[in-house]
Amino acid sequence: MLQEAASNILKFHDDFKSRIDVRLRDYPLMEGPVPMTSILLAYVLFAVFLGPRLMANRKPLRLNTAMIVYNFCMVLLNAIIVYEFMMSGWATTFTWRCDLIDTSKKPETLRMVRTGWLFYISKFIELLDTVFFVLRKKRTQITFLHVFHHSFMPWTWWWGVALTPAGGMGSFHAMVNSAVHVIMYFYYGLSAAGPRFQKYLWWKKYMTAIQLTQFVIVSIHISQYYFMEDCNYQLPLWIHLIWIYGVFFFLLFSNFWVQAYIKGKRLPSKDDKPTQNGSTSESIPVVANGKHLENGNANTHHHTNGKIIFGKVKEI
């Protein structure tokens, strides 16, 4: 029985490998689902068990310089991804409506294939967000949502890139997400740079609004599919998943916005001051990509009836 099950699994694995798009079959981490799944399982193990145990009896590391370099490199990387998405279709040949998956080998299509892969790889680089949390002993930031998003996002994108690298209308949300990450990591970089830059971070409360706008735009764009009579998108499952993702996180962020700004539970006080590590003393009300907007740069603490309640916000 076990031998038969193992044989069936191997057969399925080999069969699926043969379905990987030939245009990127030789790209790093695209040879099959096993290598990238192994990396992500190791990431979860490190984030939840090994990392915290490693740092349990050690002092938190000060990694401001490393975080400044990392964050501004992520700004550049995401800006490149946005530009490449635009130049490979979204600002050239796409209609912004029923744009189908392109299976040709035209130069512009191959450029879209490379960009989709680069977006996928960027999600592995973002695992460093969690590494910074662990090494700086920011345990409250390593929530289930944070770890789930950072592991699930690259895992699902592997399947999307492997089957539909030139994903047509299904790639729109990746472009928008990268544009938001340009802004987000720019904020991170300034926050890590120290107290002297805090005066330039007055716009942090608008980050949640930017996130909400992202989900509205993505949801509206992908919803067109349900009203088009002749949109024969080759893999409609991706359309459904993107729509569910956009609506779900819009509701999540809307709830945070209500709690933070309408009910005033997280409004910053006038007494909030920068700490020595260049972070603010109150939370950053943004959720982006399922992780904290504050990639180790901001701490939250509110005193209520003599108790300290640590607040956290997750980002997408």
Side-chain angles (χ1 to χ4, degrees), residues 19-21 23-24 27 29-30 112-121 154-167 238:
R19 297 174 184 269
I20 297 174
D21 196 292
R23 294 171 295 180
L24 50 58
Y27 281 42
L29 289 181
M30 292 306 303
M112 176 66 77
V113 169
R114 290 192 296 269
T115 306
W117 172 82
L118 186 59
F119 177 79
Y120 157 73
I121 289 296
W155 192 82
T156 54
W157 251 89
W158 184 90
W159 301 90
V161 172
L163 295 174
T164 60
W238 295 153

Side-chain angles (χ1 to χ4, degrees), residues 102-119:
D102 193 340
T103 58
S104 72
K105 291 187 177 181
K106 296 182 296 185
E108 193 171 54
T109 304
L110 293 178
R111 190 173 183 177
M112 176 66 77
V113 169
R114 290 192 296 269
T115 306
W117 172 82
L118 186 59
F119 177 79

